[in-house]
Amino acid sequence: MVEKLTQYHDMTFIWAEMSFMSKWWQSLENRPQMREAVRNLIKRGQLEIVTGGWVMTDEAAAHYYDMIDQLIEGHQFLRTDVGLTESPVSGWSIDPFGHGMTFPYILQKSGISNTLIERTHFGWKQELASKQSLEFVWKQIFETKNMSDLFCQMSAFDLYSIKFTCGPNTDICLQYDFRRIAGEYSESTAILITDENVDQRAALMIEQYGRLASLFKHNVALVPLGDDFRFNYDTEWDQQYKNYKHLMDHINKNPDLYNNTEVTFGTLNDYFTEVHKRMQKINGNNYPTLFGDFMPYADVYVDSKPHYWTGYYTTRPFWKSLSRELQHFLRSAEILYSLARNLVRQNGNPEMSARLDKDYDYLSTARQSLALFQHHDAITGTSKEPVMEDYAKKLHRAIVDSLGLISHSVQFLLVKDHSVMPTDMNAAHPLTAYLFPDVQRSSWDELTQKVVLSVPSVDGRKIVVFNSHIQTRIEVIRVLVKSPVVRVIDTQNGNEIQSQINPVFNTTAAIMSDAFELEFIVSLPALSLTTFAIQSFEYRHRTHHRSKVSLFLSDAKQEEDNPFSLNENKINPKVFNFDTPFDNDYELETPYISVRFDGRTGFLTHIYDKRTNYLQKTRLMFMAYKSDDFYSGAYLFRPSKFDPMQNITERFPIMRLVKGELSSELTVIYPNYIEVKFKVYNTYASIGSALQMHCKFDVSKRADLMNWELIMRLETDINSIDSKDGRKRFFVDSNGFQMMERKYTDNLAIEGNYYPMTSALYIEDNDSRLTLLSSHSHGVSSPFNGTVEVMLERKLRFDDNRGVGEGVLDNKLTISRFWIAIERIDQNTINEPIVPNLSQLMHSLLSTLLYEPIVLASDGREDRPIHTALRFLSDGFDCNLFLVNLRTLPDSDRFDAPSLSSLLLVHNRDNSCRVSQQISPSSLLCSEPKSRPKKLLHVRTQSINECSLTGTKSLKWLTDLSDIVVPRMQINAFNVTFVK
C-alpha cells in the first residue's frame, strides 16, 4: 500500500479496522521510515482512516459497552502509536447485517460527522432511492441538544463489491474490475483499457455512473473499488490504477463528450466534502431527517426472493453469553486497576507500582479480545467452527486474565501500609494473588463454576465483595462452602448477617454432600470493597431456619377423559398417578408478588402483584421452529412452511422445590433438553418484586433436534395491540442503550418480524407492563397479542448460502438468565408522548443481572494487615447515572503503556414515566444521594476534563466530580488525570 500510494500520487485508499493496522504497525517497529511515510499519506489525505474502530462492529447483538470500548481502543491506538492529532471524521459501516440506532450516536459522540452504511432491507433502498433520499440526517428519538447532526448516506445497491458499486447493472460493473491474478477464479469480464477502446469503455462506464448519481440531488457518485481480500497483491494495485487512470484522463480531457463529467480518485472524506459543497448551493445543506433504525436486514440478490437475516441475532448463544461474561469481568478489572495503580503510585511504593504497570499488558490483551469479538462475523456467530473456537479461546483467556487483574488490584488496594511490599504479593506470575475469585472457568467450552470454599474451624474464611456501581446497592451474595454449618459476620460491626443454606445438585436428583450454597443479602456502599467473614460453628448452636427441599415427578400431558382408552384420538393417556406436595398449582412468594406455576408442567402461569391486588397471566412455554432446509443458517432464519412449530418438551418433568427464609426456588427439568430455575427473594428490597429465571440447555445431546430453532414464549392477557393501526406492539432495546418501539407486520412471515434484543424487552397496555431482562442477546418477536417470543438456540445442518459454507452444529451447554416483572401503568401518563424506556426498578435489576458484585475469597491466612472495607465515594451518584467504565488510558506516545489518566464514561439511563412506583425509595436497589460526591476517596485527582467519547478531543474543564452533568439518555466521557 505505502509503495503504491507513494508511486501513484493521485491514488487514494481507506482503512477501517485498527485490529489489522495495529499488527502491521507493530511489524514496522524497525522501519521508522515506513511509519513516517504512512503518517505523511494520512496528512496529505491520500490515505484516510475511516471509523477507526478496532473492528467494524456488529450493530445488532453487540452491547453498547463493547461497541464503545472497541472504538476507544482503535482511536487511542491512532492517537498514541500512529500519532494522529485528530480522530477520524468519516464512518464506514458497509458489512454489518442491518444498522442499529445506537452506533450512529456513538459515532457522533466520538467526533464523526459523516457516515456510510450498506446492508439495509431492499425495500428501504428502493423507497429512499425513489425519493432521492438515500442521504439523510440520522437523529435519535431522545433529545440531543448541543450535538452536531450525523449525516448518513445509504448505499444504493445490494453490496459493497465492485460488482454492485458502479451502477444498477452488475454485468456492466464486472467489466470494470481489472484484477487478474494467475490461477484465481474471477467473475470479472474486464478487458485492458487501450487508446483504441477507451472511448467506448468510458461511455459505458459513465452511463452507469450517471444512473447512480441520478439517485442523489447533488449528482455526485461514490464508487468504491474493492471487496473482501482485495489489494493483497502488488499486481492488482497496478491493474486497477492504470486502467482507471486511463479512463479518468480520457473523460476529464473530453468534457464535451461526457457532459462535463469529472472522475477522480478520492477518499470518503473527499466525497462528503464535495456533497456538502454541492448541497449548500442547491438547498443550503438541507437533508431529510430520519429517526429509528434499519432492522431487520433482508436481501433479494441471491434468488430474487426476500431472505431475512434474523437468525444471527441468536446463533451460537454460548459465544454471545461468553462475550457478556468477559464484559462484566473486564469492566470491574478496568475500574479496580485505575484505582489500584494510582493509589499505590501516590503512596510511594515503586515496586508495587511497577508490578501494576506490568499488569497493563493483560488488561490490553483482554480489551482487544473483547473488541475483536464485536466484529460483525464474530459475536453474530457467523464464522466457521475453527474460527469460532479461536474467538472463544481468546475470550476465555481474557476472562482468566481479567479475574487475575481483579484479584491483584484488590489485594493492593486493601493493603494498609503501601510503603512495604508484602512477601506473599511477590509471586512469580504477575497475576497471582492471595485473594482469588470465587468463580473459575477450566476450559473455553465449559460454563463458569463457583469454587467450593473450605471454612477453617478457627479463623474461618473472609470474602471481599466489590460493588462496581456508583450507588449504594442491595445485592444477593452467593458462595459455595464445604460445610453447611456456617454463618456470615459483618466485619465492620461483628454482627451476624441473616443467611440461608441451599442444596447443590450434581445431577438431576442427587444432592452433593461436600458442597452447599451459602446465600445472604447485604447493602453495599457505592464503589466499594467490603469484607465479610464466614465462620464455622457447632451445629447444636444453630439458630437458622432450615430450607425445605421437595423433589417430585409430574405428567406434563393433559389428563384424558378416559385414561385407559386406546382410541387413536387418545394418544396421550394418563398412565401414572404422581404423588406431589401440591393438589393443584403451586406458588413462590415474596412481600410484593406471588408467582404461580402449573402443577403438571412446572412452568410459570401467573404473577400476582400483592401491592395492587393485580393478577397477570404469564404463561410460559418452550417450543421450536422446524427449519427450512438450506434457508435457515447462521445468518438467515426461515421456518418450514409446512410444519413450522414443534413441541419438544418431554412428558415427565422432574421438579425440585427449595423453600427458605431468604429465597425460594423451583427447578423444572426436562431431561436431555432444558432445565429452568425460577427464583424469588423474600425481601422488601426491590429484588423481591420480580421473578428470576435461568434456562440451561444443551441441544448437542439430542440428535433429534437437528434443524430446530428453540424458542421460549410468554403469553399474557396484556392488550399489546396499538389502537392507532391495529398492529401488535412491543418494545426492544437497541444494544442495551435505549428502548425502541417495534411493530409486528402480519403480511410478513415470522422471520421478517424478528428483532435483536441485547438486554431487555417489554409489552404494555393502559393497565400493566411485562418486562423481560436478558443476560445476553437473542432474537425476539411478538407474534400474537400479549405474547413475547425469545429464540434461545439454533441447531442447523445446512448452510444458508451467505458466506459461512457450513451449518451450525457446535452447540454447547448454555445458560440464558432472565428477570421477569409485572409493573402497573401510571394512569396520569397514558396519553402523554413518552420516549420508550425501562423503569428505574428495571434498570436497577438489569445492573444486578449484568454487573453483579465481584466476590473474592482469601487464601485462609487471616493475619494480614489489610483494610476490612474501602469506599471510593463518600456518597452515591444519582440513580439514573450508570458508571460505564473507568478505563486507564495509554501513554501519549506508547499504546502499550499506562498513563496517569483514566477515561470516565457515565450514562444517564433516565427512566420511564409511565410506570407507577410501587416500592418505597428506601427499598429500591438504588436510593437518591443527599449530596453528590466531589472527589474520589483514597486517590487524588489533578484535573477532570469533559472530552469526546473516545477521549481524543478535549471539550471543557470541570472543578470536581460534582460538576459532572450528563443529559438524559446520553453518555458523556471525562478524562480524569491523577496526581503524579
Side-chain angles (χ1 to χ4, degrees):
M1 178 192 73
V2 176
E3 176 187 341
K4 294 303 177 182
L5 292 181
T6 302
Q7 179 182 351
Y8 304 129
H9 287 283
D10 56 344
M11 193 179 191
T12 56
F13 197 73
I14 61 173
W15 195 318
E17 296 182 306
M18 296 304 99
S19 55
F20 294 104
M21 188 173 189
S22 66
K23 289 187 177 298
W24 176 63
W25 193 265
Q26 192 173 10
S27 73
L28 301 179
E29 185 176 6
N30 297 320
R31 301 177 67 186
Q33 72 284 355
M34 180 72 79
R35 288 183 171 181
E36 192 59 32
V38 174
R39 295 187 182 104
N40 290 332
L41 289 171
I42 295 173
K43 286 178 183 177
R44 65 173 182 252
Q46 204 175 343
L47 171 63
E48 182 185 6
I49 305 298
V50 289
T51 304
W54 203 247
V55 295
M56 187 181 294
T57 181
D58 167 62
E59 298 182 31
H63 190 269
Y64 79 90
Y65 174 101
D66 306 326
M67 299 169 86
I68 294 172
D69 210 54
Q70 64 84 28
L71 197 62
I72 293 172
E73 194 71 5
H75 283 195
Q76 290 297 325
F77 161 74
L78 290 170
R79 178 184 70 88
T80 56
D81 272 13
V82 182
L84 297 191
T85 56
E86 295 184 0
S87 294
V89 295
S90 303
W92 178 259
S93 295
I94 58 166
D95 207 18
F97 324 128
H99 294 278
M101 191 165 63
T102 297
F103 197 54
Y105 173 82
I106 293 171
L107 293 178
Q108 273 181 284
K109 294 287 287 187
S110 303
I112 288 174
S113 53
N114 306 293
T115 191
L116 183 136
I117 61 176
E118 172 68 51
R119 290 186 186 260
T120 59
H121 193 292
F122 61 89
W124 271 113
K125 290 182 181 285
Q126 294 169 2
E127 174 71 11
L128 295 179
S130 69
K131 297 179 178 180
Q132 287 190 320
S133 297
L134 288 164
E135 292 172 328
F136 48 85
V137 172
W138 202 342
K139 287 184 175 290
Q140 299 296 313
I141 59 175
F142 55 86
E143 193 173 89
T144 54
K145 286 184 178 179
N146 302 321
M147 280 182 62
S148 58
D149 291 329
L150 180 73
F151 175 76
C152 179
Q153 176 177 312
M154 181 189 296
S155 178
F157 304 118
D158 291 328
L159 294 172
Y160 49 81
S161 63
I162 297 176
K163 177 179 179 179
F164 294 92
T165 57
C166 85
N169 192 318
T170 56
D171 290 334
I172 294 177
C173 290
L174 285 171
Q175 297 179 38
Y176 295 90
D177 181 0
F178 298 102
R179 175 180 170 119
R180 283 290 186 273
I181 305 299
E184 178 183 86
Y185 167 76
S186 174
E187 286 186 291
S188 171
T189 56
I191 59 175
L192 185 69
I193 304 300
T194 65
D195 291 339
E196 289 73 27
N197 66 14
V198 67
D199 186 51
Q200 182 267 334
R201 305 308 296 165
L204 186 62
M205 185 179 78
I206 289 298
E207 178 189 9
Q208 289 297 301
Y209 285 9
R211 292 185 178 185
L212 171 59
S214 70
L215 301 176
F216 304 93
K217 294 177 180 178
H218 47 68
N219 207 33
V220 182
L222 173 68
V223 185
L225 302 178
D227 198 355
D228 298 343
F229 314 112
R230 286 304 193 94
F231 292 96
N232 53 343
Y233 290 96
D234 292 350
T235 307
E236 182 179 6
W237 289 82
D238 297 328
Q239 291 167 338
Q240 303 284 19
Y241 176 80
K242 291 177 181 179
N243 283 284
Y244 272 104
K245 181 64 174 173
H246 200 160
L247 289 164
M248 291 176 185
D249 288 346
H250 177 75
I251 293 168
N252 296 338
K253 289 176 182 178
N254 295 278
D256 294 338
L257 292 177
Y258 303 104
N259 196 26
N260 292 315
T261 300
E262 181 183 2
V263 184
T264 64
F265 292 109
T267 62
L268 192 57
N269 187 46
D270 293 335
Y271 170 73
F272 283 129
T273 300
E274 184 62 28
V275 166
H276 294 314
K277 181 179 175 182
R278 291 277 188 98
M279 290 299 290
Q280 182 63 40
K281 294 179 180 178
I282 294 171
N283 64 7
N285 265 321
N286 185 26
Y287 301 99
T289 298
L290 183 140
F291 297 86
D293 69 359
F294 297 100
M295 297 288 180
Y297 167 52
D299 72 47
V300 289
Y301 61 79
V302 173
D303 56 9
S304 300
K305 297 178 182 178
H307 297 279
Y308 283 88
W309 295 51
T310 52
Y312 80 91
Y313 301 157
T314 306
T315 300
R316 291 184 165 114
F318 176 86
W319 278 257
K320 289 174 167 64
S321 176
L322 186 63
S323 174
R324 296 289 281 277
E325 190 173 335
L326 171 57
Q327 179 203 113
H328 165 48
F329 292 130
L330 177 59
R331 174 179 169 274
S332 289
E334 295 272 19
I335 296 168
L336 287 165
Y337 180 83
S338 289
L339 295 171
R341 180 172 175 270
N342 287 288
L343 185 147
V344 167
R345 188 176 47 76
Q346 290 174 4
N347 280 276
N349 190 317
E351 188 177 358
M352 278 191 192
S353 184
R355 290 301 302 272
L356 283 166
D357 285 353
K358 291 180 181 178
D359 290 352
Y360 192 72
D361 289 341
Y362 296 93
L363 194 61
S364 294
T365 301
R367 289 171 176 173
Q368 290 167 20
S369 294
L370 181 63
L372 185 67
F373 192 68
Q374 305 319 304
H375 187 274
H376 55 271
D377 271 322
I379 194 169
T380 55
T382 53
S383 292
K384 291 182 181 294
E385 282 191 25
V387 178
M388 293 306 302
E389 180 175 334
D390 185 60
Y391 280 130
K393 288 178 177 177
K394 284 182 168 64
L395 294 174
H396 172 250
R397 182 71 256 170
I399 288 174
V400 172
D401 287 347
S402 295
L403 288 170
L405 275 165
I406 289 170
S407 302
H408 213 206
S409 298
V410 170
Q411 73 172 18
F412 279 7
L413 285 168
L414 292 180
V415 171
K416 284 187 175 180
D417 186 359
H418 286 96
S419 64
V420 180
M421 181 74 167
T423 56
D424 56 2
M425 289 190 183
N426 202 21
H429 191 280
L431 296 184
T432 301
Y434 67 76
L435 291 172
F436 60 90
D438 79 324
V439 294
Q440 64 181 1
R441 199 177 187 105
S442 58
S443 173
W444 71 267
D445 56 353
E446 295 182 3
L447 296 174
T448 298
Q449 302 290 334
K450 285 276 190 180
V451 177
V452 182
L453 305 175
S454 61
V455 181
S457 58
V458 178
D459 295 322
R461 185 183 294 274
K462 289 180 180 176
I463 62 171
V464 179
V465 179
F466 175 53
N467 172 21
S468 65
H469 301 283
I470 52 177
Q471 295 86 19
T472 297
R473 307 277 300 178
I474 300 173
E475 299 280 8
V476 180
I477 308 299
R478 300 178 197 84
V479 293
L480 295 188
V481 291
K482 291 186 177 180
S483 168
V485 191
V486 294
R487 61 186 176 186
V488 181
I489 303 296
D490 186 337
T491 59
Q492 301 300 296
N493 54 31
N495 294 334
E496 182 175 353
I497 298 171
Q498 184 182 11
S499 60
Q500 177 175 314
I501 291 290
N502 297 320
V504 176
F505 292 84
N506 59 2
T507 63
T508 298
I511 297 178
M512 296 181 66
S513 60
D514 57 355
F516 304 87
E517 182 184 71
L518 172 64
E519 186 175 63
F520 57 100
I521 300 174
V522 292
S523 176
L524 302 172
L527 201 61
S528 66
L529 293 164
T530 307
T531 302
F532 301 93
I534 303 174
Q535 297 178 351
S536 299
F537 63 95
E538 292 186 30
Y539 185 78
R540 59 191 177 92
H541 294 151
R542 182 181 179 90
T543 59
H544 294 69
H545 177 272
R546 287 185 292 184
S547 298
K548 181 180 179 181
V549 181
S550 303
L551 183 68
F552 47 95
L553 287 164
S554 178
D555 188 341
K557 297 295 183 181
Q558 293 284 353
E559 182 177 350
E560 301 293 340
D561 295 333
N562 180 359
F564 299 105
S565 171
L566 297 179
N567 186 291
E568 63 181 358
N569 295 321
K570 305 289 186 179
I571 58 174
N572 293 312
K574 183 175 180 180
V575 294
F576 302 113
N577 286 321
F578 289 97
D579 186 18
T580 73
F582 308 97
D583 294 331
N584 296 301
D585 295 347
Y586 40 94
E587 299 182 356
L588 299 178
E589 293 193 64
T590 80
Y592 297 123
I593 60 172
S594 175
V595 187
R596 299 181 184 176
F597 301 89
D598 188 302
R600 297 174 299 102
T601 66
F603 292 147
L604 175 68
T605 61
H606 294 83
I607 298 178
Y608 174 66
D609 188 333
K610 297 180 179 180
R611 298 157 291 188
T612 59
N613 195 30
Y614 182 78
L615 181 65
Q616 181 72 69
K617 172 188 172 184
T618 47
R619 181 170 176 253
L620 179 72
M621 62 191 75
F622 294 88
M623 310 165 81
Y625 289 105
K626 182 66 175 174
S627 305
D628 197 353
D629 293 353
F630 303 105
Y631 291 102
S632 246
Y635 299 95
L636 306 185
F637 166 44
R638 193 164 90 179
S640 169
K641 295 178 181 178
F642 304 104
D643 190 19
M645 189 60 67
Q646 310 287 323
N647 184 359
I648 55 175
T649 53
E650 295 179 350
R651 182 166 181 178
F652 302 110
I654 301 169
M655 303 184 201
R656 302 192 305 240
L657 181 64
V658 178
K659 284 194 170 185
E661 286 189 320
L662 290 182
S663 69
S664 297
E665 65 183 45
L666 171 69
T667 303
V668 183
I669 303 164
Y670 284 82
N672 299 319
Y673 168 50
I674 193 165
E675 176 182 313
V676 185
K677 181 167 75 173
F678 305 95
K679 189 159 190 170
V680 298
Y681 296 96
N682 187 29
T683 173
Y684 283 95
S686 53
I687 50 175
S689 65
L691 173 66
Q692 191 178 59
M693 180 173 68
H694 292 178
C695 300
K696 183 189 292 187
F697 46 87
D698 185 1
V699 299
S700 66
K701 297 179 179 179
R702 289 275 299 273
D704 59 320
L705 292 184
M706 188 66 68
N707 292 338
W708 282 14
E709 319 204 25
L710 279 59
I711 65 165
M712 176 181 75
R713 187 177 284 176
L714 266 170
E715 294 181 351
T716 76
D717 46 16
I718 291 173
N719 181 17
S720 59
I721 292 184
D722 192 335
S723 59
K724 296 178 182 177
D725 57 16
R727 295 169 66 189
K728 294 174 283 289
R729 184 173 68 155
F730 56 114
F731 299 83
V732 186
D733 74 302
S734 172
N735 307 106
F737 175 64
Q738 57 188 312
M739 300 299 294
M740 291 190 64
E741 181 184 54
R742 304 295 191 184
K743 295 285 187 74
Y744 193 95
T745 304
D746 287 323
N747 61 359
L748 289 179
I750 183 67
E751 60 266 28
N753 283 290
Y754 253 69
Y755 292 91
M757 174 186 71
T758 313
S759 299
L761 69 81
Y762 65 82
I763 55 174
E764 65 181 14
D765 57 20
N766 289 337
D767 294 318
S768 64
R769 171 189 288 188
L770 177 136
T771 303
L772 180 75
L773 306 178
S774 174
S775 59
H776 60 267
S777 55
H778 300 268
V780 298
S781 189
S782 180
F784 307 105
N785 185 22
T787 299
V788 295
E789 179 175 298
V790 179
M791 187 173 288
L792 297 176
E793 177 64 289
R794 316 178 71 220
K795 186 176 182 181
L796 308 165
R797 177 185 289 118
F798 301 106
D799 178 46
D800 53 18
N801 196 28
R802 293 305 185 276
V804 175
E806 61 188 30
V808 180
L809 299 173
D810 53 352
N811 308 87
K812 310 293 180 190
L813 177 62
T814 305
I815 298 180
S816 291
R817 298 174 172 88
F818 303 99
W819 282 91
I820 301 173
I822 296 297
E823 298 176 287
R824 301 307 307 279
I825 299 298
D826 185 342
Q827 297 302 304
N828 297 321
T829 65
I830 289 175
N831 297 318
E832 294 183 15
I834 296 176
V835 174
N837 203 346
L838 299 177
S839 66
Q840 181 182 329
L841 172 61
M842 291 302 103
H843 277 307
S844 293
L845 288 177
L846 187 59
S847 293
T848 292
L849 177 62
L850 301 183
Y851 310 108
E852 65 184 5
I854 299 290
V855 178
L856 303 170
S858 66
D859 62 1
R861 277 187 54 192
E862 308 303 330
D863 57 347
R864 294 184 181 85
I866 63 173
H867 295 286
T868 56
L870 210 60
R871 297 175 60 173
F872 294 95
L873 292 173
S874 58
D875 203 345
F877 277 83
D878 309 355
C879 290
N880 288 344
L881 297 184
F882 170 65
L883 174 59
V884 180
N885 210 346
L886 181 64
R887 186 188 204 270
T888 300
L889 290 170
D891 195 50
S892 58
D893 56 1
R894 278 194 62 191
F895 184 56
D896 60 350
S899 72
L900 299 180
S901 298
S902 291
L903 190 63
L904 173 66
L905 294 163
V906 182
H907 179 197
N908 184 344
R909 298 182 295 194
D910 203 19
N911 57 71
S912 174
C913 298
R914 285 182 58 79
V915 177
S916 298
Q917 182 60 60
Q918 301 293 333
I919 299 178
S920 64
S922 61
S923 297
L924 281 171
L925 282 171
C926 168
S927 56
E928 293 293 347
K930 296 178 181 179
S931 62
R932 274 193 168 193
K934 291 188 175 183
K935 63 179 182 178
L936 291 168
L937 303 179
H938 307 292
V939 288
R940 303 187 303 279
T941 56
Q942 178 177 306
S943 62
I944 303 174
N945 173 27
E946 187 173 343
C947 57
S948 62
L949 200 58
T950 57
T952 58
K953 183 179 180 180
S954 175
L955 299 177
K956 66 178 181 181
W957 297 96
L958 306 183
T959 304
D960 53 43
L961 292 178
S962 65
D963 289 340
I964 289 177
V965 176
V966 185
R968 289 183 172 186
M969 306 289 292
Q970 296 204 44
I971 306 173
N972 279 2
F974 306 88
N975 185 318
V976 179
T977 300
F978 294 91
V979 173
K980 291 183 179 180

